[in-house]
Amino acid sequence: MCGNNMSAPLPAIVPAARKATAAVIFLHGLGDTGHGWSEALAGIKSPHVKYICPHAPFMPVTLNMNMAMPSWFDIIGLSPDSQEDEVGIKKAAENVKALIDQEVKNGIPSNRIILGGFSQGGALSLYTALTTHQKLAGVVALSCWLPLRTSFVQGAVGVNKEIPVLQCHGDCDPLVPLMFGSLTVEKLKSMINPANITFRTYSGMMHSSCIEEMMDIKQFIDKHLPPVD
């Protein structure tokens, strides 16, 4: 372990059953680790896809009385006008881009990589996809929001203007209200091709996942990362 902030343990990985020709990088939520999501993704896996679930570094989180926990960046508050950790968000996005680069070095082109995440991880996956120079295959954004949304001017997205997005939200989410999801979809539609954005809501679902959502995620991954052989 080196002394930098990303000295979190190595990602939880669900290897491809045969040669990996595509990858899903999935970022967990605040206070969690990659293990739970790697298990969930193992339940919907495709044989040619590698699933990578990194663990966030430990850091004090303002929202939780400065308690240290796994977190991609600091969260100051949960209302739409809360101050945001701009430096931390940008640094975290650079770390995710480095993970994508690593997979490209491993022989998987970036346009065969889907970036996804839940809650804080979903927020980071959206922000990274909209700011990276790497052309990606898609984004799966679960129960989340777009960080630093005012920093995006209309149509200012780089290579991922046509990126397919699956955004999912529970209609009973008490932590990240459905309204955040709806506002995020509207913002995304002003930045990338609206025809490529799918917004799914799940009746009765709180700040969590469900089987129906996992099936929608599987369908999205299968559609945008088909086998090449």
Side-chain angles (χ1 to χ4, degrees):
M1 291 238 192
C2 49
N4 70 7
N5 211 13
M6 282 308 273
S7 59
L10 290 171
I13 290 175
V14 181
R18 50 177 198 254
K19 183 181 187 295
T21 59
V24 173
I25 298 173
F26 195 92
L27 311 173
H28 63 73
L30 179 67
D32 199 1
T33 69
H35 294 298
W37 283 103
S38 69
E39 284 171 28
L41 291 166
I44 59 164
K45 66 183 181 191
S46 300
H48 62 286
V49 181
K50 172 185 182 184
Y51 303 83
I52 303 152
C53 299
H55 311 293
F58 263 71
M59 65 174 73
V61 175
T62 306
L63 180 72
N64 291 342
M65 299 179 298
N66 274 331
M67 258 175 30
M69 61 188 61
S71 184
W72 300 109
F73 49 85
D74 191 20
I75 296 185
I76 294 124
L78 280 180
S79 67
D81 55 356
S82 293
Q83 188 190 337
E84 291 184 278
D85 174 19
E86 183 172 351
V87 172
I89 292 164
K90 288 179 172 173
K91 186 178 168 200
E94 289 309 314
N95 289 328
V96 176
K97 291 170 195 174
L99 265 180
I100 296 166
D101 280 339
Q102 188 56 55
E103 287 315 302
V104 173
K105 284 196 187 86
N106 290 343
I108 297 172
S110 66
N111 66 356
R112 294 279 295 163
I113 297 174
I114 283 177
L115 190 55
F118 172 77
S119 193
Q120 188 194 38
L124 180 56
S125 67
L126 278 177
Y127 182 82
T128 304
L130 296 175
T131 56
T132 186
H133 299 304
Q134 302 147 318
K135 193 166 169 53
L136 298 170
V139 180
V140 174
L142 311 181
S143 308
C144 67
W145 67 95
L146 176 63
L148 306 178
R149 65 189 186 283
T150 55
S151 69
F152 292 100
V153 290
Q154 195 162 348
V157 177
V159 294
N160 287 313
K161 228 182 208 60
E162 295 293 323
I163 195 165
V165 176
L166 173 64
Q167 204 184 321
C168 304
H169 221 106
D171 68 357
C172 292
D173 192 327
L175 276 180
V176 182
L178 177 59
M179 178 194 76
F180 282 34
S182 308
L183 289 172
T184 298
V185 168
E186 290 317 306
K187 179 72 178 174
L188 288 176
K189 282 180 178 171
S190 73
M191 296 163 63
I192 60 179
N193 185 347
N196 294 342
I197 301 171
T198 305
F199 186 41
R200 295 237 189 282
T201 58
Y202 303 90
S203 174
M205 188 171 88
M206 297 179 76
H207 195 62
S208 62
S209 185
C210 65
I211 290 170
E212 193 189 341
E213 181 182 62
M214 291 308 293
M215 288 299 107
D216 286 339
I217 295 166
K218 178 173 173 51
Q219 208 176 358
F220 181 83
I221 293 171
D222 289 349
K223 179 180 176 184
H224 297 290
L225 298 177
V228 286
D229 37 12

